[in-house]
Amino acid sequence: SIIGQNIYGKKTRLRAELHIFNSDGTSQVVATDTSWKAEFGPIVEADIQAGETYDARREMPGWDLPGYKTSANWTSVQTGAEVAPELQAYPGTPVRRLEEFPPVKITSLKPNLQVFDMGKNFSGWARLRVTAPAGTKIIMRFGEMLNPDGSVYRTNLRSARVTDTYICKGGGEEVWEPEFTYHGFQYAEVEGLPAPATSKTLTGVVVHSALPRLGAFISSSEIANRTSVNMRWSIRSNSFDIPTDCPQRDERMGWMDYHEVARSSQYELDQSSLLTKWVTDMVDARLPDGGFSQISPDVHHFGWSPGWADSSVLIPWTLYRVQGDTRLAERWFKELASHVAYYQERSPDGIAPDVGYGDWLAPDLSTPKNLISTALYARCAFAMSEMSGALGRSADAKRYRDLFQKIRTAFQKKFVLSNGTIGTNSQGSYVMPLAFDLLDEPQRGLAAKHLVEAIEAKGNHLSTGMVTTHLLLPALTKIGRTDVAYRLLEQKTFPSWGYFLDRGATSIWERWDSKTDSFNAAAMNSYNHANLGTCTEWFYRTVLGIDFLEPGFGKILIHPEPGVGMTWAKGHYDSPHGRIATDWSAGAGKFRLDVTIPPNTSAEVFIPAASARKVNEGGQPVLAAKGVSFLRQEGGNAVFAVGSGNYHFESAP
């Protein structure tokens, strides 16, 4: 089961070291031992799924100050552990309070029950401000949506109580917020207030890992803009010490399909430290047979699954590509290699096993599981080849290149018909081989045609799931059909990103059908899940046109592609070398692009133009512009080489 509490232990323990560095250069270590004492205080219950109960009448003022005299009720702490982990300073990004906001609406359902709408779905908690007699019990229940009667919808929370309780001590205004729980919510249902609530009664406190902001995106498309904001909130809500699947129900675990989200998240927020720590969790959570688990830390022992275990290789690879950082690949090379070896042992003739979740939650679930696993097997081999080369391990790089070619050949033989049909003719069947370069040139042309036909057969709607949605728009751009990608983006009917927005989404939902005419009856129904919002990767890479030519953005690609419904866009990405920014507009046959390239880098810039003679930079013909060199004409674009600096390009027919 994936539900329930007390997974990590049932005993109250403390094992800690305090390292003190004095101004005179001396130091000391204060460590827990049997001389340390503990007693239960006002925190009666605390659990991230159940919530926190706080009885203010049990407060012990001064307990945390020198000179406090303990009673006989204080007993020695237990310092042992059922599992003995290495004790170390926390290596990741700290979880912090990061933002606060008042409710946007308060509704009274009955005299003693009021509902607070915080305006958006986020992770954190509510701060309570109340004046009431001693013993007054205030109960706060949290959820993401409202039932038709205005009460808070909580069915999707399953076994998680997600309830905070505060018992007043009396004597004046009391202000309280929990310390050992958190919730994913937009609405709070509060019972027991002694007087009508005000906007100061409850304050939303946003809490998650304190990740630096890296990117910004805005455009002429309302759907793209709102989806980008919602995705940022879902990434924030699910960056809570580890990248979680959801912040609200009885899961909140490190599901290993996060490699699908990683590139989008790295454009938005700097998760490098968080993901580096998480890869260590992955290694620690390896299964007894050597495979990587579906969840890290692994608390439920679900076993191995393609599409999930692949984060063991694809997360370090993503960080290498985006940051130019090989340290994870170097530190864990043996363990990463073991993941590919695990595939090899189970993939006779290069075809990976027909196991796992498939294209999870796709409207079209027909994409064969062994097609998906074989494609991911190839992707991991390719990633290992790139990382091996970057580490100077030339023999390993060749070995993994050869393995990739072997899998590629096997994939073509097994899944590609002579007419170019692949798998079940589903969108997912075409997206993966196109995205992962598993086809030869004739097959690629046929697959591109069939992918577009598969999209058109759905009325220009997508039918991809968690494993393939992040690949769909980039694959369309790769085959030269960015126009189809824009058509998908602008849809407002089911299933689409616009469909989420029309139903009031303030974050990304787990299922395309999370809420249609009513709530999806399935037990698995999160309204704050990042996987289906991975179109934001494409917003940065194709709409803004910011990508890398070499890992780490030392050499940059600037290639914005306008499309129907998009007349302008602007934004930036703070790369390891500094800010890369684009700002473009298109219309009446003209195209304008302002671009910023950071120090110690170079870039290739694509400008839509029939020739370089049709392009100006800085108000003069580009061929005479300082610091700009014409490289070639490619696909309706004039391509230029530039160094660091600010540039202003304009083109006309």
Side-chain angles (χ1 to χ4, degrees):
S1 173
I2 61 173
I3 62 175
Q5 288 79 48
N6 289 324
I7 293 168
Y8 297 99
K10 300 181 180 180
K11 296 181 180 179
T12 302
R13 302 179 187 268
L14 176 63
R15 184 175 180 222
E17 286 183 358
L18 176 63
H19 290 241
I20 303 171
F21 299 92
N22 301 312
S23 58
D24 63 2
T26 61
S27 63
Q28 65 185 113
V29 175
V30 179
T32 50
D33 57 28
T34 54
S35 70
W36 286 53
K37 294 183 181 296
E39 165 64 328
F40 286 99
I43 300 176
V44 177
E45 177 187 53
D47 182 276
I48 63 169
Q49 296 179 11
E52 187 167 318
T53 297
Y54 189 96
D55 187 343
R57 298 170 300 179
R58 295 170 56 94
E59 289 179 345
M60 298 175 286
W63 74 269
D64 53 351
L65 298 174
Y68 181 79
K69 296 190 181 302
T70 61
S71 68
N73 293 329
W74 287 71
T75 58
S76 297
V77 300
Q78 297 186 52
T79 59
E82 294 169 22
V83 176
E86 177 186 351
L87 192 63
Q88 61 174 315
Y90 178 67
T93 307
V95 172
R96 290 182 174 144
R97 300 173 181 85
L98 294 167
E99 194 173 341
E100 297 182 4
F101 39 78
V104 298
K105 185 179 181 181
I106 303 172
T107 304
S108 293
L109 296 185
K110 50 188 178 181
N112 202 33
L113 188 65
Q114 295 169 81
V115 173
F116 294 72
D117 178 358
M118 310 312 293
K120 60 175 62 68
N121 197 346
F122 65 98
S123 65
W125 52 68
R127 180 185 299 123
L128 173 69
R129 188 180 298 270
V130 64
T131 301
T136 302
K137 181 184 289 188
I138 313 296
I139 301 173
M140 295 160 276
R141 306 180 187 93
F142 301 89
E144 300 177 288
M145 304 286 279
L146 294 179
N147 290 307
D149 65 358
S151 62
V152 176
Y153 171 74
R154 287 165 50 85
T155 303
N156 67 320
L157 303 178
R158 303 187 303 208
S159 70
R161 292 206 311 275
V162 192
T163 300
D164 290 342
T165 300
Y166 182 78
I167 302 172
C168 298
K169 60 186 173 184
E173 184 179 74
E174 300 174 50
V175 180
W176 175 80
E177 59 186 274
E179 296 184 74
F180 295 103
T181 191
Y182 80 100
H183 315 296
F185 71 103
Q186 179 172 339
Y187 302 95
E189 190 175 87
V190 183
E191 180 181 353
L193 291 172
T198 71
S199 61
K200 294 182 179 180
T201 301
L202 227 58
T203 300
V205 182
V206 178
V207 184
H208 55 77
S209 296
L211 305 173
R213 178 84 175 268
L214 291 180
F217 168 86
I218 191 169
S219 72
S220 60
S221 166
E222 181 187 5
I223 289 177
N225 295 343
R226 290 176 60 194
T227 299
S228 176
V229 170
N230 288 0
M231 180 60 164
R232 190 176 307 122
W233 274 103
S234 283
I235 294 169
R236 290 178 64 180
S237 301
N238 286 292
S239 297
F240 213 101
D241 182 56
I242 58 173
T244 60
D245 58 324
C246 56
Q248 77 294 97
R249 66 184 181 217
D250 54 0
E251 269 185 86
R252 315 184 195 194
M253 296 182 296
W255 282 96
M256 294 260 286
D257 54 341
Y258 197 77
H259 64 86
E260 302 148 9
V261 181
R263 188 69 195 278
S264 291
S265 69
Q266 283 297 97
Y267 270 121
E268 291 284 358
L269 300 163
D270 186 357
Q271 288 190 320
S272 301
S273 178
L274 180 143
L275 293 176
T276 295
K277 181 261 184 190
W278 191 44
V279 173
T280 304
D281 293 337
M282 295 179 196
V283 174
D284 289 343
R286 288 176 69 194
L287 304 169
D289 64 2
F292 280 88
S293 60
Q294 298 174 26
I295 306 168
S296 293
D298 182 24
V299 295
H300 295 294
H301 314 296
F302 288 153
W304 180 84
S305 174
W308 276 253
D310 304 293
S311 274
S312 59
V313 168
L314 299 181
I315 292 292
W317 182 54
T318 298
L319 290 179
Y320 159 62
R321 300 182 91 205
V322 172
Q323 301 289 334
D325 189 347
T326 60
R327 287 175 295 179
L328 273 176
E330 184 173 20
R331 180 183 180 188
W332 301 117
F333 189 87
K334 178 182 176 182
E335 288 76 13
L336 272 54
S338 75
H339 176 62
V340 178
Y342 197 92
Y343 263 120
Q344 285 181 281
E345 293 167 5
R346 290 155 180 79
S347 306
D349 303 319
I351 300 300
D354 186 10
V355 297
Y357 299 107
D359 196 6
W360 190 242
L361 297 181
D364 181 352
L365 286 169
S366 70
T367 306
K369 290 182 181 179
N370 58 346
L371 183 155
I372 292 169
S373 61
T374 302
L376 287 163
Y377 175 26
R379 190 61 158 179
C380 288
F382 181 83
M384 286 300 295
S385 176
E386 277 205 345
M387 289 188 288
S388 296
L391 291 170
R393 305 176 69 121
S394 56
D396 288 318
K398 181 182 184 305
R399 176 164 60 91
Y400 286 116
R401 277 197 306 272
D402 292 345
L403 177 61
F404 171 78
Q405 290 299 333
K406 177 183 176 181
I407 303 166
R408 187 174 186 263
T409 299
F411 183 95
Q412 294 172 10
K413 182 179 179 181
K414 174 73 174 178
F415 299 109
V416 184
L417 301 182
S418 58
N419 64 358
T421 299
I422 301 175
T424 57
N425 206 37
S426 64
Q427 293 176 20
S429 295
Y430 294 109
V431 163
M432 297 193 83
L434 286 168
F436 297 167
D437 291 320
L438 298 180
L439 308 174
D440 61 29
E441 195 60 40
Q443 291 170 338
R444 190 178 299 115
L446 290 170
K449 175 176 175 291
H450 291 321
L451 173 59
V452 173
E453 290 171 349
I455 292 169
E456 291 173 344
K458 299 293 184 181
N460 288 312
H461 290 79
L462 46 74
S463 62
T464 50
M466 287 189 177
V467 175
T468 57
T469 294
H470 73 294
L471 304 171
L472 180 58
L473 301 189
L476 287 167
T477 292
K478 187 175 183 178
I479 64 174
R481 295 307 306 267
T482 296
D483 60 318
V484 179
Y486 275 109
R487 267 185 254 154
L488 286 168
L489 177 63
E490 290 303 309
Q491 291 291 342
K492 295 183 178 180
T493 50
F494 174 82
S496 66
W497 295 288
Y499 186 77
F500 286 163
L501 301 176
D502 276 2
R503 275 147 187 76
T506 62
S507 51
I508 302 298
W509 295 353
E510 180 177 23
R511 319 172 67 105
W512 295 115
D513 59 352
S514 281
K515 189 175 189 299
T516 51
D517 294 333
S518 59
F519 297 112
N520 193 301
M524 188 187 63
N525 196 13
S526 160
Y527 293 91
N528 202 340
H529 235 80
N531 299 68
L532 297 182
T534 46
C535 53
T536 57
E537 173 189 342
W538 184 80
F539 295 167
Y540 283 91
R541 291 179 62 189
T542 299
V543 179
L544 293 181
I546 299 173
D547 207 346
F548 58 80
L549 288 171
E550 289 185 357
F553 286 87
K555 289 190 176 180
I556 299 163
L557 174 65
I558 301 294
H559 190 180
E561 296 192 39
V564 174
M566 191 81 73
T567 57
W568 62 267
K570 62 181 178 179
H572 68 262
Y573 166 63
D574 290 336
S575 77
H577 295 276
R579 178 160 295 186
I580 306 166
T582 61
D583 179 347
W584 63 262
S585 61
K590 296 182 178 181
F591 180 81
R592 174 197 59 81
L593 171 66
D594 293 337
V595 60
T596 298
I597 305 299
N600 302 312
T601 66
S602 62
E604 289 188 7
V605 181
F606 283 62
I607 303 295
S611 75
R613 297 184 183 279
K614 300 287 188 178
V615 181
N616 286 344
E617 193 286 314
Q620 62 178 321
V622 72
L623 296 177
K626 184 178 179 180
V628 182
S629 302
F630 175 66
L631 295 177
R632 63 188 180 277
Q633 199 69 27
E634 181 181 323
N637 295 276
V639 185
F640 303 94
V642 301
S644 59
N646 298 308
Y647 301 89
H648 178 81
F649 292 95
E650 291 181 322
S651 69

